[in-house]
Amino acid sequence: MTRRLADRSAIVTGGSRGLGRAIALALAAEGAAVAVVGRTERVWDERLPGTIGETVADIEAAGGRAVAIRADLTDRDDIARLVAEARETLGPITVLVNNAAFTAPGRPPDPGAQPRTTPAKASGDKPGWPGFVRIPLSAYRRHFEIAVFAAYELMQMVCPDMIESGGGSIINITSLAARLPGDGPYPDRGGGVLPGYGGSKAALEHLTQCAAYDLADHHVAVNALSPSKPILTPGLAFYGRQFDETAAADEFARAAVELALVDPAEVTGRTIGHLQVLDGSFRPFSRD
């Protein structure tokens, strides 16, 4: 079987579980060597299983090549180190998947730790989803540190590899939350809002376009991939479970592989739903 990403090296952030894990496995199955990046080296909460080491072990068990790199994406030194380590271990990086994200209130506290303090509950809060009034600026800022600022720096750091290699692909994982709650007024407020998570994803989509614009002459595709339906990853299940329709993480990962293979002359600077990638409807119409 032809492996379409043979001789390519990739970095996938947030690779211990959920979408990041599924994408890392899918890229490796197509022949890419994968740096699996994350903070989780041990399971600290049974509701959020998976570690970067387990993802690498599964890739290697299937005959692939991977390395686990622990990194805190709020630490600029860690970001520089992870890129250097990935490059030294796997070779020039020509695929980057910015998947890592943060959702307030973040991880549950470790056993015995002091509970976090948050502003008083507001009338608009929904179970599991702290509303705007209760999310402090520090938490709002942290969403951007991980989903936008770290992605920005990682993109800059791998660009030289892609340019020297004659091309590459950057895939920024986004969300429908970037467009919620939409225009008001809001007579039905049955759901919650995620100002930090959704806002950071909206910023990531704009960054995707700016990077794509500047890299257009270097055969580097930069696109944002969004779930067309909610995907009940361990992280999402931790916060909410009531969805009419869901999609599988493996299905989303197949779309990420296809997006890693697009021709930048045809598809770049786009925010695309994963089902549109899989059915081919995201491609431009022929100009003939």
Side-chain angles (χ1 to χ4, degrees):
M1 181 181 70
T2 301
R3 294 191 170 191
R4 296 177 293 169
L5 292 172
D7 302 322
R8 304 279 293 275
S9 295
I11 290 174
V12 179
T13 65
S16 58
R17 68 181 68 86
L19 296 183
R21 168 186 162 79
I23 292 168
L25 291 169
L27 293 173
E30 286 286 357
V34 183
V36 180
V37 177
R39 292 186 299 162
T40 306
E41 295 181 296
R42 64 177 179 85
V43 175
W44 45 268
D45 188 299
E46 63 182 11
R47 293 168 293 179
L48 295 171
T51 69
I52 53 176
E54 289 171 357
T55 301
V56 168
D58 287 344
I59 289 173
E60 292 178 339
R65 183 181 173 208
V67 60
I69 302 178
R70 188 191 187 284
D72 180 349
L73 295 184
T74 66
D75 184 328
R76 295 189 67 193
D77 290 339
D78 258 18
I79 293 172
R81 176 187 55 79
L82 83 85
V83 173
E85 186 174 337
R87 182 183 291 124
E88 181 178 353
T89 305
L90 304 177
I93 305 302
T94 55
V95 177
L96 170 65
V97 181
N98 284 310
N99 168 71
F102 171 79
T103 305
R107 292 181 171 185
D110 290 330
Q114 292 294 319
R116 297 184 181 92
T117 58
T118 59
K121 185 176 178 64
S123 60
D125 282 1
K126 305 296 183 265
W129 304 93
F132 161 72
V133 174
R134 293 184 65 210
I135 298 175
L137 178 60
S138 59
Y140 185 78
R141 181 182 290 116
R142 191 173 182 84
H143 290 89
F144 286 78
E145 288 175 348
I146 294 172
V148 184
F149 304 154
Y152 187 100
E153 198 151 27
L154 285 167
M155 291 162 69
Q156 285 188 331
M157 288 181 175
V158 301
C159 277
D161 285 4
M162 296 184 180
I163 292 170
E164 186 173 345
S165 298
S169 178
I170 296 170
I171 302 171
N172 295 321
I173 306 303
T174 186
S175 169
L176 294 174
R179 286 163 287 284
L180 296 176
D183 296 335
Y186 307 104
D188 178 10
R189 296 188 301 280
V193 294
L194 294 169
Y197 182 79
S200 66
K201 292 300 188 180
L204 183 63
E205 291 178 8
H206 183 258
L207 174 59
T208 295
Q209 293 180 329
C210 293
Y213 183 90
D214 276 350
L215 291 168
D217 290 337
H218 300 288
H219 205 69
V220 176
V222 188
N223 292 290
L225 180 62
S226 175
S228 300
K229 301 176 181 179
I231 299 175
L232 204 59
T233 61
L236 182 58
F238 180 81
Y239 289 103
R241 298 176 183 273
Q242 302 302 315
F243 301 101
D244 294 333
E245 284 188 274
T246 61
D250 291 349
E251 177 182 275
F252 185 86
R254 292 199 306 273
V257 169
E258 296 304 320
L259 205 52
L261 292 161
V262 297
D263 181 349
E266 293 186 345
V267 181
T268 195
R270 300 271 299 280
T271 294
I272 311 169
H274 84 276
L275 292 180
Q276 284 65 54
V277 174
L278 293 178
D279 69 17
S281 63
F282 74 105
R283 294 185 181 278
F285 293 109
S286 172
R287 297 181 177 85
D288 294 341

